[in-house]
Amino acid sequence: LDAAVLMAPDATMPLAKVDLLIQRLFAQTGRQDWGFDLGLRLRLTSHLILGYGLLASPTVGYAFQMLSRYFSMLTPTFRVQVRRDAQHGALHLVPVLPMSHDCLVFHTDAIAAAVDTVVGELLGERMPRYDLDIALDLPHRARYDTLRQARVRFAVGGMAGLRIRFPIGLLEAPLSLADAGALKEAESRCEATFRKVIASGQVAGWVRMMLREANGGLPSLDELAHTLNLSSRTLDRHLKAEGTGFRQLASEVIVERAKTLLAQGQPVTTVALELG
């Protein structure tokens, strides 16, 4: 890893290097709760224009919906889904990229602590008790005792990632800094950030990376479009504008990965199953 990259505020790293960094961090320090420390340090203003958009939202429910639309600006590793029933409004955060167990632990801890911090900033003393369900069985459960309003369950079956459930009335709770003008500006700039990727002609490279990172079969065009908040037809149109298409990219990635796996001595049947 280049130290200059780690120090640059706007630098990015491929997930494989992030994964390696976290594995080394865990191994060399003997600690697995570094993600929790990161989550506690993340504030609304840490998320730049998205954070200001959340602050300017009229209600908590609107802020949750905005977070779900633009969460990939923060990290492409998880997708946010907002759900509600008669009693609860919930955020489901589901991993969408393959990563090591250490990397998954790090992201789970960071997201859980950050959501608690950010919602607490939005509501202040109105912060209610809420349920936090985590699919992983974490060894550092005691860290979660500091989330005083959270009722935490670990190793919850039938789900992946995290589920955060609030009383249903919270979704309609007004926010004290609601500002229609600031919200419109924030949403416009968030959209511009997404469009910058598309306008730069790098959509094909992003799709190729997502296909290359996947395990246990390749993600579909619909799944990738959802991650970018686009329709599958729109994503396909952008790929064609760059002189390629989803099927062509998928075929190229399959061939590249098949060659690599075969060169590593993997049996043909194993390779066929791995690549769908």
Side-chain angles (χ1 to χ4, degrees), residues 38-237:
L38 172 62
L40 293 178
R41 286 167 169 77
L42 294 176
R43 299 290 186 266
L44 281 165
T45 51
S46 306
H47 307 312
L48 302 177
I49 193 61
L50 176 56
Y52 290 114
L54 300 179
L55 278 171
S57 296
T59 65
V60 173
Y62 193 99
F64 284 177
Q65 290 290 349
M66 187 175 183
L67 181 66
S68 72
R69 293 201 306 273
Y70 301 117
F71 192 76
S72 59
M73 290 175 60
L74 310 180
T75 172
T77 54
F78 277 69
R79 181 169 65 231
V80 178
Q81 301 167 328
V82 181
R83 297 180 179 175
R84 66 171 69 200
D85 57 29
Q87 294 182 311
H88 299 101
L91 294 173
H92 287 217
L93 296 107
V94 182
V96 293
L97 288 180
M99 61 191 91
S100 70
H101 178 74
D102 286 350
C103 194
L104 182 59
V105 167
F106 182 92
H107 281 82
T108 298
D109 284 338
I111 290 171
V115 169
D116 182 87
T117 301
V118 166
V119 177
E121 278 191 280
L122 287 173
L123 293 173
E125 295 181 356
R126 295 182 296 161
M127 180 74 167
R129 293 279 289 170
Y130 68 93
D131 298 312
L132 171 58
D133 295 337
I134 297 176
L136 295 175
D137 187 8
L138 298 173
H140 44 271
R141 296 184 175 194
R143 292 300 308 271
Y144 283 79
D145 293 341
T146 61
L147 307 182
R148 296 182 180 180
Q149 300 292 55
R151 295 180 290 261
V152 188
R153 296 192 304 162
F154 299 94
V156 177
M159 58 170 281
L162 307 87
R163 180 173 58 218
I164 304 167
R165 297 191 302 171
F166 296 94
I168 187 63
L170 181 72
L171 296 185
E172 305 305 323
L175 296 179
S176 58
L177 296 180
D179 185 319
L183 176 62
K184 183 177 180 180
E185 173 66 17
E187 289 183 318
S188 175
R189 291 176 61 182
C190 286
E191 284 295 326
T193 300
F194 275 107
R195 298 296 172 255
K196 191 180 296 183
V197 175
I198 295 171
S200 65
Q202 298 176 356
V203 176
W206 180 85
V207 169
R208 185 180 284 106
M209 180 273 295
M210 295 289 280
L211 293 170
R212 190 174 58 246
E213 292 276 5
N215 284 330
L218 303 181
S220 67
L221 177 64
D222 287 342
E223 290 170 333
L224 294 181
H226 181 82
T227 302
L228 281 179
N229 290 317
L230 300 173
S231 69
S232 56
R233 181 176 300 178
T234 300
L235 177 56
D236 193 49
R237 186 170 67 248

